[in-house]
C-alpha cells in the first residue's frame, strides 16, 4: 500500500499519468502534493460502462442510472474507481426509487420495504433535492440512519457511495444495487 502522497503508475482505468512539467509524476518524486496530480481520467462515463460491462444494454435502467451517478453534475464528488468495483463479475443489478417526507424516511423505506438491499454486494445511492433547496443536515441525518440500520453483512458493500443532485420534486433517493449472480 502506498502512502497518500506517493504516486501510482496507473489510475483505476489503466491509463498512464499526465506529465507534469514534461515528466511522468513517478519520475518527479514522491513529495508532490496530491492536489496537483493530473490523471487522464475518462470523460465519457458511457464508454467506461461499456468497457467494464460489455453485455449491459445501453437502454437499460441500470446503465442510465450509472451514467447519472457518475455523470458529473453531482453536488458531492464521486470516485470513478467505484464504477469498476460496482461492475464486478457475475452481478445482477437493481434500481430502487424512493420518495418520502424526508431523506431519512427514504432510508427507512429502503431498509423496511426492501430488506434484500441489505444483502447487496454494493450500493450506490443518490439523493435528489429541489433546486436551490439543499438541506445538508437532512442528508447527514439520512446517512447516519443508514449507518445505524446496517447489519454486519451490509458493511461488506463494495462500493458504498452516495451523492446529491438538484432537480427533485420532493425528498427522493435512488439506490443502485449490485447482487451476487452466483455460479
Amino acid at each position: 500500500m502506498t502512502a497518500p502522497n506517493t504516486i501510482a503508475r496507473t489510475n483505476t482505468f489503466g491509463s498512464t499519468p499526465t506529465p507534469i512539467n514534461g515528466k511522468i509524476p513517478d519520475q518527479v518524486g514522491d513529495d508532490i502534493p496530491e492536489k496537483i496530480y493530473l490523471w487522464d481520467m475518462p470523460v465519457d462515463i458511457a464508454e467506461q460502462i461499456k468497457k467494464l460491462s460489455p453485455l449491459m444494454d445501453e437502454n437499460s435502467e441500470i446503465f442510465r442510472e450509472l451514467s447519472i451517478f457518475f455523470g458529473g453534475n453531482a453536488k458531492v464528488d464521486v470516485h470513478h474507481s467505484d464504477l469498476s468495483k460496482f461492475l464486478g463479475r457475475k452481478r445482477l443489478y437493481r434500481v430502487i426509487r424512493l420518495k418520502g417526507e424526508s431523506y431519512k424516511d427514504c432510508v427507512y423505506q429502503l431498509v423496511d420495504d426492501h430488506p434484500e438491499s441489505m444483502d447487496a454486494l454494493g450500493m450506490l445511492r443518490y439523493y435528489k433535492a429541489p433546486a436551490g433547496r439543499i438541506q445538508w443536515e437532512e442528508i447527514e441525518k439520512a446517512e447516519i440512519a443508514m449507518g445505524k440500520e446496517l447489519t454486519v453483512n451490509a458493511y461488506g458493500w463494495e462500493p458504498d457511495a452516495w451523492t446529491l443532485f438538484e432537480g427533485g420534486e420532493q425528498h427522493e433517493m435512488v439506490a443502485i444495487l449490485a447482487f451476487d449472480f452466483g455460479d
Side-chain angles (χ1 to χ4, degrees):
M1 180 161 181
T2 59
N5 286 335
T6 59
I7 310 246
R9 288 196 177 277
T10 61
N11 67 15
T12 304
F13 298 103
S15 63
T16 56
T18 300
I20 299 174
N21 296 328
K23 296 181 179 179
I24 300 296
D26 62 1
Q27 295 171 341
V28 176
D30 292 344
D31 57 348
I32 298 174
E34 282 185 344
K35 64 183 178 185
I36 66 167
Y37 287 136
L38 302 172
W39 299 100
D40 288 327
M41 291 301 291
V43 175
D44 189 352
I45 293 301
E47 288 300 317
Q48 286 305 311
I49 294 170
K50 285 188 247 178
K51 178 181 175 185
L52 294 167
S53 188
L55 299 178
M56 185 179 290
D57 182 3
E58 290 181 55
N59 296 316
S60 69
E61 182 179 34
I62 187 68
F63 193 98
R64 183 177 58 251
E65 291 301 336
L66 288 172
S67 297
I68 290 170
F69 187 89
F70 291 101
N73 292 325
K75 297 296 179 185
V76 177
D77 290 338
V78 296
H79 297 280
H80 287 107
S81 64
D82 286 339
L83 180 61
S84 62
K85 291 176 191 172
F86 192 78
L87 295 174
R89 294 189 54 210
K90 296 185 177 181
R91 299 271 174 103
L92 292 174
Y93 304 102
R94 182 169 179 203
V95 174
I96 300 173
R97 299 174 194 288
L98 304 159
K99 294 182 181 185
E101 299 296 318
S102 67
Y103 299 116
K104 192 174 176 180
D105 184 41
C106 294
V107 167
Y108 288 135
Q109 285 179 49
L110 178 68
V111 172
D112 295 340
D113 299 343
H114 304 279
E116 71 279 6
S117 65
M118 297 298 112
D119 293 328
L121 295 176
M123 179 189 288
L124 304 172
R125 60 194 170 279
Y126 65 86
Y127 300 95
K128 290 171 71 177
R133 295 185 39 209
I134 296 174
Q135 299 171 332
W136 292 103
E137 57 281 344
E138 294 299 317
I139 294 167
E140 182 179 3
K141 288 177 187 176
E143 284 298 302
I144 289 170
M146 178 69 83
K148 287 181 179 179
E149 292 297 322
L150 296 179
T151 61
V152 174
N153 238 2
Y155 282 111
W157 285 343
E158 191 62 39
D160 174 20
W162 68 272
T163 192
L164 171 74
F165 295 94
E166 285 185 304
E169 296 175 17
Q170 62 184 56
H171 296 97
E172 298 177 49
M173 181 176 80
V174 175
I176 311 165
L177 304 162
F179 295 93
D180 183 15
F181 181 69
D183 295 323

